[in-house]
Amino acid sequence: MPSTLTENVRKTVLENGLTVLTKEVHTAPVVTVQVWYKVGSRNEEPGVNGIAHQLEHLMFKGTQNRPIQFGRLFSALGSDSNAFTSYDQTAYYGTVERNKLKALLVLEADRMQNSQIEPEQLASEKRVVISELQGYENSPEYRLNRAVMQAVFPNHAYGLPVGGTKADVEKFEVEQVQKYYRNFYSPDNAVLVIVGDFQTGNTLETIKEVFGKLPKRQEAGGRGQEAGEAGEAGGEELISKCPIPHSPLPTPIVLREPGAGRLLQVVYPLPDANQPDVPTLDVMDYIFTEGRNSRLYQALVESGLASEVAASVTSLRESGWYEVLVTAGSKQDLKKIDSVLSSAIANVAEKGVTTEEVERAKTQLTADVILSNRDITSQAMRLGNDETTVGDYRYTDRYLAAVRLVKPTDVVAVINKYLTKESRTVGFFEPTHKQVTGVSDKPDSAQTTENFSPGVPVLPSEVAKYLPPVDLVTDAIAQVLPQEFKLTNGLRILLLPDRSTPTVTLSGYIQAGTEFDPENQAGLAAFVSENLLNGTTSKNVLTIAKVLAERGASLNFEVHREGVHIEGDSLAGDLPIILEILADVVKNSTFPAKELELHRQQTLTDLQLELDEPSEVARRIFVQSIYPKKHPLHTFPTEESLQQIQRQDVIDFKAKHYRPDTTVLALVGDFDLDKVRSLIQNEFGNWQVSGQAPTLKYPPVSMPEKIVSVNPVLPGKAQAVTYMGYTGINRYDPRFHAALVLNQILGGDTLSSRLGAEVRDRQGLSYGIYSYFHTGKNAGTFLIEMQTSPEDSSKAIASTRQILQQIHQQGVTALEVETAKRTLISNYNVSLANPEELTDRILMNEVYGLDKVELHSFTDKLQKVTFEQVNQAARELLHPDKIVVVTAGPSVLAEKSIR
C-alpha cells in the first residue's frame, strides 16, 4: 500500500501564474497531459447558463495559428483526448505515447491563448450542444434532478444544470463567449497536470518554453471574485465561512411527465469540500448504500419496495450536497418509499452504527480510491480535481488519513447535523402514459432528394501542416507476454505479473451467453449470471457480499451475446478471497427462490425503464430488423419471457453451460506466479462436468434488399436516436484489420472521422456520431449510431448515406489510411497502459483462439494494412442502399415522416 498517492508529485508555478503538477510513473511508455481551468457552471447566472460548456465545445474548433478542428490533430497524434465541464472547473485531457508529449503541450498552449470563436462556428456548435442537452432531457432522472437542484440552490449557480438550458444556449452571442474566454482562459487561472513516463527536469524546461510566454490576463480584476480566489488562501477561507443559505420546500416537488418508472430523489445540503466533516459523510454514504448489506439497500430493495437505490456525496468549492435516488419497484407508492427511507435514516441516527459497519465502509472507500487510480489518466484527474476544487493537490492524501480516523459516533453526529427532516428537498417523478407507436417498414425514397452536398473532406495534408513535430522514438518497448496454463478439466488461465500498483485485476469469460436463451425464455442466461452471487451451498447472499465488502473487493458477472464476462478487482493481498468466491459461485451456486423472485421483479422494472429509452428501443428494433426470428441474435427479454423462467430452468442452464472447458481467466497485477497457480489449482481443480460443451451454429443472414426504415415513437422525449446498418464480419475475417482502418476513417471518432467532420462538426446536426464493426466468433454487425434533434434526423441520415456512398464508390485517400493506422496503433498502445483494458485484451485474444503474441503483433498487423485493402473493404463492406435505419424518439418524426 503506497504511503501516499502524491509522494512524487512536484508542484511548480511559472512566472505567469500557471500551476504545473508533474508525477513520473514509468510503468508504461505513455503520458497524460491535462489542462484544468478554474471556471465552470459555478461562474454563471440565469440567462447565461451553459456558457462554460459552450466554450468547452468551441475550444476544439481551431486557433488563429491552426484553423483546423483540433479533434483531427489529436486523432492524428493517436491521443485519447476529450474534455468536460463541471461546476468548479473545465478540463481538457489527452493520453499519448511518451514521444508525443511536447506536441500535446504545444496544442494546449495554442488554444489557451489563440482560440478562434467565430459566428459560423458558434452557430453550428450551438446546435450540437442543444442536441446534447436534448439527450439529457430524454432521461426522467435528469429532469427530476434539475427541478430538485433548482429548489435546493435557488440563488446559487450550483442550482443550474452544468450543461445549460436550450433557452439560454440559443441566445449566446459571439462577443459574450469571446469575453468569457478572455476572462477565464489564462495561465494564472489554469492548472497543467502531467503524469506518466517522462523526465521532470527536461519536461519543465519544455513547459517554460511552450507556456512561459503566455501572458496573464490584464483584466484580472474584472473577473469577479472567482479570479481573485484562485490560489489565495484568504479567498478560500471566506468561502468556507459563508455557507450558502438554503430554504428547503415543505412539500415534495412532483413531476408528472411521460416516462416509465417512478423515481424519488432526496437532496440534503452539505458543507464545501474543505470542511472536516466530508470524509465522515462519505463513510456514512457507504454504510447507507454500498452493497447488499447496506442500510438503505436492506430497507428498500430487499423489501421489494424499490428496484434500485443509489446515493452520492458531492463536495465542491463553495458547498456540497447528499443526494439519494430511488427507483420504485413495480406498483409501489413513492410516499411509502419516502417514509421508509426517512425511518431508516432516523433509525441509524437514533440507534447508531456498528464498529464493523464503519470499518467495512472505510476499507471499501479506501480500496475504491486506490483501485480507481491505477492508470495515469485517472491519477492526473485526481490531482487536477483536488488542485482546482480545494486548492491543494495533496487533498486526497489528507482525506484518506481522515477516513482512517472516523468512528461510529462521528457517523451518527453527521447524520444528526445534516440529514435532518427540515433540511431536505424531495422530488417525485410520477410517469404519465407510455407507449411506443408508429412503426413503419417501407422503402425510403424521400432521403436522396435532400438538398445537401457533403463538404470536401478535410485533406490529411492539411492535418499534417498544422501538427506539431513529434519526438523520434529511440527506445523499443519491452514486450511482456502473459504466462498461460491449463487445468486437467480444461480451464484456461493467463497470468501477467505487474508490480506497478498493489492491486489485481481479474477478467474472465464463460461460454454461457444470451445466444443460448430459449425463444420463450429470453433473459434466462442473464438470470443465471446475475444470481450467481446470491448464495452457495456454504454461504448465503449477505455472507458473500460481506466477505467482498470487508476487503473493498468487487466481483461482477455480465452477460453478453457470446459469453458471460467476469470482472473482479481487489488490493493485491485479497486475491485469494476473490478466487475463492469466484470458484464457490461457479461450482456451488444454489439460486434461492426468494432471491430469484426479488431479481425477477427488479428485472421487470429495469425492462420498463429500458423500453422508455430511445437508444434501447432503437437498438432492439435495429437488431431484430436485421436478424430473423429463430436467429440467436433476434431474441430480447420481454415481460412474458421473464415470467416464464422457473428456478429449475436456471439450475439446468447453469449445469449445462457453466463448465471449466469453456471458461478462461486472465489476471494482471501484483502477485507471485507460482502462488497464484497453486491457488487456482486448489480452488478450481475439482470443478467437473460431463459430456461435450453445447455449441451453436449461426445461420447465414442476407443483407436487406433495400433501405428499410422503422420509426418507433416515444412520447415526451426531446432527442431522437438513430441506428443504421446491417450484418457484418466476424473476428476471423481476412478483412478484419482493413475494416478497422476503414471504420476509423468513416466514423471511429466523432470529431476527426468523415462522418464526424461533416455531420457533427460542419453541419452541427449531431452531438455524437460513430460507426462500428462489432465482431465476435460469429458474424457481427456493422452499425452507425447518432443522436440528433428530431427535426434534424432526416438531414443527418441523408448526409450519412451520402458519405457511405462517397467512400463506397470513390474510396479513401492513402494519407487518410496512414493517419488512421497511426491513430489506431497509438490508441492501442495507450490502452495497454490501463490494467483493465490490458486484462480484457489478454482474455479476449484467448477466447478467440488467437496466439498470445497477438497482444503485441496486433499493431504490426495494422501497420501492414494497405491503401488497396482498405478501399477493397469499402467496396465490399459499405452498402448505402441496403441498410436498415431505425430512428426512435418523439412524435415529430412521424409528422415529418422519415420514411
Side-chain angles (χ1 to χ4, degrees):
M1 174 65 213
S3 57
T4 70
L5 289 168
T6 56
E7 58 191 343
N8 62 336
V9 176
R10 181 163 160 187
K11 179 173 178 174
T12 310
V13 181
L14 303 192
E15 282 179 21
N16 60 6
L18 178 69
T19 298
V20 183
L21 300 176
T22 51
K23 179 181 182 180
E24 292 185 29
V25 179
H26 298 290
T27 50
V30 295
V31 63
T32 188
V33 172
Q34 306 186 355
V35 179
W36 291 65
Y37 293 95
K38 298 177 192 176
V39 59
S41 62
R42 163 176 90 85
N43 306 79
E44 296 170 359
E45 53 195 34
V48 289
N49 179 207
I51 196 165
H53 175 232
Q54 182 69 68
L55 177 57
E56 175 227 307
H57 277 243
L58 288 164
M59 290 287 284
F60 284 87
K61 286 293 199 178
T63 63
Q64 280 116 351
N65 308 331
R66 294 180 175 84
I68 182 173
Q69 163 57 257
F70 264 44
R72 300 185 77 85
L73 298 175
F74 293 134
S75 181
L77 282 173
S79 173
D80 182 5
S81 291
N82 213 326
F84 65 83
T85 306
S86 189
Y87 293 98
D88 291 338
Q89 57 276 105
T90 308
Y92 302 83
Y93 55 97
T95 305
V96 287
E97 294 156 308
R98 63 182 167 205
N99 62 314
K100 296 163 181 169
L101 169 59
K102 184 174 180 180
L104 269 192
L105 292 172
V106 168
L107 291 176
E108 289 299 352
D110 188 15
R111 66 175 171 175
M112 182 180 280
Q113 188 175 26
N114 306 312
S115 280
Q116 52 177 10
I117 298 163
E118 308 292 347
E120 190 186 341
Q121 295 163 326
L122 177 61
S124 81
E125 213 54 35
K126 270 159 70 163
R127 289 180 79 163
V128 170
V129 167
I130 288 167
S131 164
E132 180 182 354
L133 296 179
Q134 286 171 325
Y136 301 148
E137 289 287 335
N138 278 356
S139 154
E141 286 103 324
Y142 176 81
R143 303 200 302 269
L144 180 62
N145 178 262
R146 194 181 55 193
V148 172
M149 289 302 288
Q150 251 164 348
V152 177
F153 294 104
N155 303 309
H156 190 281
Y158 286 159
L160 302 172
V162 171
T165 60
K166 183 181 175 186
D168 281 5
V169 170
E170 282 174 336
K171 296 199 295 265
F172 291 150
E173 300 287 339
V174 169
E175 295 72 29
Q176 269 180 307
V177 185
Q178 285 170 339
K179 182 174 177 221
Y180 203 81
Y181 172 63
R182 286 196 305 273
N183 278 352
F184 292 108
Y185 279 60
S186 61
D188 48 315
N189 199 41
V191 177
L192 170 65
V193 188
I194 302 174
V195 176
D197 194 10
F198 63 92
Q199 299 301 320
T200 305
N202 307 349
T203 302
L204 284 173
E205 287 308 311
T206 305
I207 291 167
K208 284 173 189 158
E209 174 199 328
V210 173
F211 281 91
K213 54 184 181 286
L214 301 187
K216 283 186 179 185
R217 295 297 184 230
Q218 295 310 303
E219 63 269 36
R223 276 196 209 162
Q225 184 199 356
E226 288 80 12
E229 288 161 13
E232 287 179 22
E236 302 290 352
E237 286 305 308
L238 266 175
I239 295 167
S240 302
K241 285 176 186 156
C242 309
I244 297 164
H246 302 283
S247 46
L249 300 178
T251 55
I253 295 161
V254 182
L255 289 195
R256 288 193 174 83
E257 295 176 0
R262 288 189 179 83
L263 301 169
L264 162 71
Q265 183 158 43
V266 183
V267 174
Y268 299 88
L270 296 180
D272 67 80
N274 261 315
Q275 295 300 311
D277 285 335
V278 169
T280 309
L281 286 161
D282 281 334
V283 172
M284 171 204 81
D285 173 41
Y286 271 63
I287 291 169
F288 276 142
T289 62
E290 186 64 29
R292 295 288 295 252
N293 291 282
S294 63
R295 294 294 189 103
L296 296 183
Y297 190 95
Q298 285 291 313
L300 296 168
V301 182
E302 288 289 346
S303 65
L305 280 172
S307 75
E308 198 182 343
V309 57
S312 62
V313 172
T314 300
S315 306
L316 300 178
R317 192 175 166 137
E318 292 180 12
S319 185
W321 57 88
Y322 185 52
E323 161 183 348
V324 183
L325 180 69
V326 184
T327 307
S330 189
K331 305 185 179 63
Q332 297 293 344
D333 177 63
L334 289 176
K335 284 190 179 134
K336 180 174 182 193
I337 291 172
D338 186 30
S339 157
V340 172
L341 171 71
S342 297
S343 304
I345 292 172
N347 186 41
V348 178
E350 188 189 332
K351 298 190 174 156
V353 291
T354 65
T355 304
E356 185 192 1
E357 279 179 302
V358 173
E359 290 309 311
R360 186 167 67 223
K362 284 157 64 169
T363 304
Q364 287 175 302
L365 187 49
T366 305
D368 279 354
V369 171
I370 294 164
L371 291 166
S372 64
N373 280 287
R374 282 175 296 181
D375 62 287
I376 61 166
T377 306
S378 305
Q379 289 175 43
M381 288 269 177
R382 176 77 57 168
L383 294 171
N385 188 61
D386 287 352
E387 184 68 26
T388 52
T389 304
V390 297
D392 181 7
Y393 71 88
R394 297 176 301 258
Y395 174 77
T396 297
D397 288 334
R398 290 205 322 261
Y399 166 87
L400 287 176
V403 165
R404 285 196 282 277
L405 301 175
V406 173
K407 301 187 295 296
T409 49
D410 302 331
V411 174
V412 174
V414 294
I415 295 173
N416 283 315
K417 185 171 174 184
Y418 299 109
L419 269 57
T420 63
K421 200 94 179 184
E422 305 74 53
S423 69
R424 60 188 214 132
T425 302
V426 180
F428 290 172
F429 182 84
E430 293 277 9
T432 55
H433 67 282
K434 153 82 184 66
Q435 79 260 21
V436 179
T437 54
V439 174
S440 65
D441 178 0
K442 33 187 181 296
D444 170 12
S445 55
Q447 292 190 342
T448 44
T449 60
E450 270 289 340
N451 179 14
F452 157 76
S453 59
V456 182
V458 177
L459 294 171
S461 56
E462 284 282 286
V463 178
K465 183 166 94 182
Y466 295 119
L467 208 56
V470 168
D471 296 342
L472 294 171
V473 184
T474 49
D475 42 359
I477 299 165
Q479 300 194 340
V480 189
L481 290 173
Q483 299 271 330
E484 203 173 334
F485 72 102
K486 191 172 177 178
L487 302 188
T488 50
N489 59 11
L491 177 72
R492 288 166 287 160
I493 296 107
L494 298 127
L495 302 174
L496 184 60
D498 169 11
R499 310 280 185 199
S500 60
T501 65
T503 64
V504 178
T505 307
L506 175 143
S507 205
Y509 174 97
I510 303 173
Q511 198 176 313
T514 59
E515 60 185 11
F516 291 112
D517 274 350
E519 195 182 353
N520 63 336
Q521 291 181 322
L524 177 57
F527 252 63
V528 177
S529 67
E530 288 161 10
N531 283 281
L532 285 169
L533 290 163
N534 283 350
T536 65
T537 45
S538 61
K539 297 182 189 73
N540 70 16
V541 57
L542 292 180
T543 307
I544 293 172
K546 190 170 154 195
V547 169
L548 288 168
E550 280 170 349
R551 287 160 178 81
S554 72
L555 183 62
N556 296 301
F557 297 85
E558 190 177 352
V559 74
H560 296 270
R561 286 292 175 195
E562 290 189 338
V564 172
H565 281 246
I566 307 164
E567 285 175 8
D569 53 27
S570 72
L571 300 179
D574 298 321
L575 176 60
I577 302 291
I578 283 208
L579 289 174
E580 182 196 323
I581 287 184
L582 175 60
D584 190 22
V585 301
V586 295
K587 293 187 297 191
N588 309 314
S589 49
T590 52
F591 304 108
K594 172 179 171 262
E595 298 298 337
L596 271 183
E597 212 36 61
L598 188 62
H599 179 76
R600 189 195 316 272
Q601 295 314 315
Q602 289 170 340
T603 307
L604 287 166
T605 305
D606 291 346
L607 178 65
Q608 265 186 326
L609 297 172
E610 274 180 19
L611 295 180
D612 183 49
E613 294 215 3
S615 57
E616 189 55 39
V617 172
R619 188 179 73 90
R620 266 188 185 228
I621 294 178
F622 171 72
V623 170
Q624 293 190 323
S625 303
I626 295 172
Y627 299 103
K629 284 194 168 102
K630 307 283 184 207
H631 190 282
L633 296 180
H634 184 87
T635 51
F636 280 87
T638 62
E639 194 172 333
E640 296 71 42
S641 74
L642 293 171
Q643 296 286 13
Q644 292 287 327
I645 298 169
Q646 302 301 310
R647 177 166 179 261
Q648 194 56 48
D649 303 320
V650 174
I651 292 167
D652 293 346
F653 186 98
K654 156 81 168 37
K656 184 175 176 185
H657 295 284
Y658 280 65
R659 319 165 45 98
D661 50 354
T662 66
T663 299
V664 183
L665 297 179
L667 285 145
V668 172
D670 186 4
F671 53 73
D672 176 271
L673 272 172
D674 293 333
K675 283 186 186 159
V676 172
R677 285 181 71 145
S678 64
L679 259 177
I680 290 173
Q681 179 64 54
N682 289 344
E683 296 292 354
F684 294 90
N686 63 352
W687 183 13
Q688 299 300 334
V689 285
S690 56
Q692 289 297 305
T695 55
L696 261 187
K697 189 137 176 63
Y698 281 30
V701 175
S702 53
M703 296 288 294
E705 310 240 320
K706 53 183 189 317
I707 294 165
V708 177
S709 283
V710 191
N711 301 123
V713 173
L714 285 94
K717 298 300 174 191
Q719 186 194 57
V721 176
T722 298
Y723 275 64
M724 305 170 67
Y726 36 76
T727 186
I729 58 173
N730 66 24
R731 177 63 181 83
Y732 312 108
D733 192 294
R735 298 166 295 187
F736 173 73
H737 296 90
L740 289 182
V741 177
L742 169 66
N743 185 69
Q744 181 63 26
I745 296 166
L746 170 67
D749 179 292
T750 202
L751 291 177
S752 67
S753 62
R754 289 266 194 112
L755 288 172
E758 183 55 39
V759 179
R760 184 202 196 274
D761 203 46
R762 193 178 80 84
Q763 296 189 71
L765 296 175
S766 171
Y767 168 56
I769 180 165
Y770 295 95
S771 62
Y772 312 87
F773 282 94
H774 281 306
T775 59
K777 292 181 179 179
N778 296 288
T781 308
F782 168 70
L783 72 95
I784 296 168
E785 178 190 351
M786 61 178 144
Q787 309 100 33
T788 54
S789 289
E791 57 275 16
D792 289 337
S793 300
S794 172
K795 191 170 182 185
I797 291 165
S799 306
T800 299
R801 280 195 42 233
Q802 281 186 299
I803 289 163
L804 283 174
Q805 191 84 45
Q806 213 177 40
I807 297 180
H808 172 68
Q809 289 174 345
Q810 298 158 29
V812 297
T813 67
L815 212 43
E816 279 181 306
V817 170
E818 288 311 306
T819 305
K821 280 159 54 171
R822 262 210 319 275
T823 301
L824 288 167
I825 289 167
S826 300
N827 285 343
Y828 180 80
N829 288 335
V830 166
S831 78
L832 295 189
N834 181 322
E836 285 171 0
E837 292 188 52
L838 171 63
T839 315
D840 206 48
R841 184 68 71 158
I842 290 170
L843 174 82
M844 292 317 291
N845 285 347
E846 177 64 32
V847 168
Y848 291 137
L850 306 169
D851 194 311
K852 66 177 178 180
V853 300
E854 175 73 21
L855 191 62
H856 299 295
S857 63
F858 177 75
T859 51
D860 301 336
K861 291 174 184 173
L862 282 174
Q863 191 57 57
K864 290 191 178 109
V865 170
T866 65
F867 165 61
E868 292 75 20
Q869 286 170 329
V870 175
N871 280 335
Q872 185 179 345
R875 288 190 297 275
E876 294 174 4
L877 300 176
L878 300 184
H879 307 286
D881 298 321
K882 297 179 174 180
I883 193 165
V884 171
V885 182
V886 178
T887 302
S891 53
V892 63
L893 296 164
E895 291 150 29
K896 290 265 173 144
S897 105
I898 301 175
R899 290 193 287 283

